[in-house]
């Protein structure tokens, strides 16, 4: 894989030199050719995040706003657990974690299109995909419906979406909306404590 050929040797060297891992900063403005394509950039961002998600690697991706424009920067900020340098930070983020993705922040009806685009970056397949909601401060019924719509695409591919880390509020809303009746989406039991 690309990680094995390019990044893994650098990680191994950093660890051998006594560091806890590798930290990189990348200007991703031109990663996908001379014309900036948000969809292609987003797929690349998610793919690369999955490559390093369980490695001792932290990455900072930079996008030149003067080149790509404010709208593209805003669209990319929802793909990372944190972002800097943008005037109006995204109200939520969807980013790679081991076994799937996580959502953080606040999701309401006004941001469901962005949520759907960010979730669509996860390839459906005949396996279980985890969606960690433990970092969600608020989500409404339309936000959960967007997640279930994505779960249905996972189900169409023979897989299932496992929602993990949901707060008692989110679990109750899930039940009230009867999302527990969707065979492709299941919510895990509440964690003790």
């Amino acid at each position: 894989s690309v990680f094995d050929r390019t990044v893994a040797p650098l990680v191994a060297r950093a660890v051998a030199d006594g560091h806890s891992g590798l930290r990189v900063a990348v200007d991703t403005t031109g990663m996908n050719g001379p014309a900036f394509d948000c969809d292609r950039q987003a797929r690349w961002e998610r793919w690369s995040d999955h490559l390093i998600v369980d490695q001792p690697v932290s990455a900072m991706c930079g996008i030149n706003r003067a080149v790509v424009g404010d709208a593209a920067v805003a669209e990319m900020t929802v793909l990372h657990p944190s972002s800097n340098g943008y005037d109006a930070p995204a109200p939520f983020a969807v980013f790679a974690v081991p076994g799937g993705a996580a959502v953080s922040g606040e999701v309401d009806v006004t941001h469901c299109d962005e949520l759907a685009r960010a979730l669509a970056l996860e390839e459906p397949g005949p396996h279980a995909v985890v969606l960690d909601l433990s970092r969600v401060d608020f989500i409404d019924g339309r936000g959960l419906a967007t997640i279930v719509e994505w779960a249905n695409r996972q189900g169409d591919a023979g897989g299932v979406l496992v929602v993990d880390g949901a707060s008692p509020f989110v679990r109750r809303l899930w039940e009230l909306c009867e999302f527990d009746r969707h065979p492709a989406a299941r919510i895990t039991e509440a964690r003790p404590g």
Side-chain angles (χ1 to χ4, degrees):
S1 78
V2 172
F3 181 86
D4 293 335
R5 289 189 315 271
T6 59
V7 181
L10 298 173
V11 173
R13 182 171 177 187
V15 171
D17 287 346
H19 302 284
S20 60
L22 181 67
R23 191 175 290 175
V24 296
V26 181
D27 179 354
T28 63
T29 306
M31 292 296 290
N32 292 299
F36 189 81
D37 179 325
C38 274
D39 290 334
R40 193 169 15 171
Q41 180 71 23
R43 287 190 304 274
W44 181 87
E45 295 269 350
R46 183 57 48 82
W47 173 79
S48 61
D49 284 349
H50 276 293
L51 283 177
I52 66 171
V53 72
D54 58 357
Q55 302 294 322
V57 176
S58 62
M60 181 181 73
C61 299
I63 299 174
N64 188 333
R65 185 186 330 193
V67 174
V68 304
D70 288 343
V73 171
E75 202 164 320
M76 292 300 110
T77 61
V78 303
L79 301 178
H80 300 284
S82 63
S83 60
N84 295 314
Y86 185 63
D87 298 336
F92 72 92
V94 179
F95 51 94
V97 296
V103 180
S104 66
E106 298 183 4
V107 180
D108 62 27
V109 68
T110 61
H111 298 290
C112 288
D113 289 343
E114 293 98 326
L115 177 63
R117 280 195 302 275
L119 290 173
L121 296 172
E122 297 296 320
E123 287 292 324
H127 53 275
V129 173
V130 173
L131 183 63
D132 181 347
L133 298 183
S134 64
R135 299 168 185 91
V136 169
D137 298 320
F138 174 82
I139 189 166
D140 64 10
R142 185 65 196 119
L144 288 179
T146 301
I147 290 170
V148 170
E149 289 166 7
W150 175 58
N152 289 336
R153 287 192 293 283
Q154 181 70 14
D156 291 344
V160 65
L161 174 66
V162 179
V163 177
D164 192 26
S167 69
F169 168 79
V170 171
R171 295 179 58 72
R172 181 66 178 135
L173 186 57
W174 185 272
E175 292 167 4
L176 288 172
C177 294
E178 297 185 342
F179 294 138
D180 51 340
R181 295 184 181 212
H182 289 260
R186 69 175 197 258
I187 195 164
T188 60
E189 292 299 316
R191 293 183 180 154

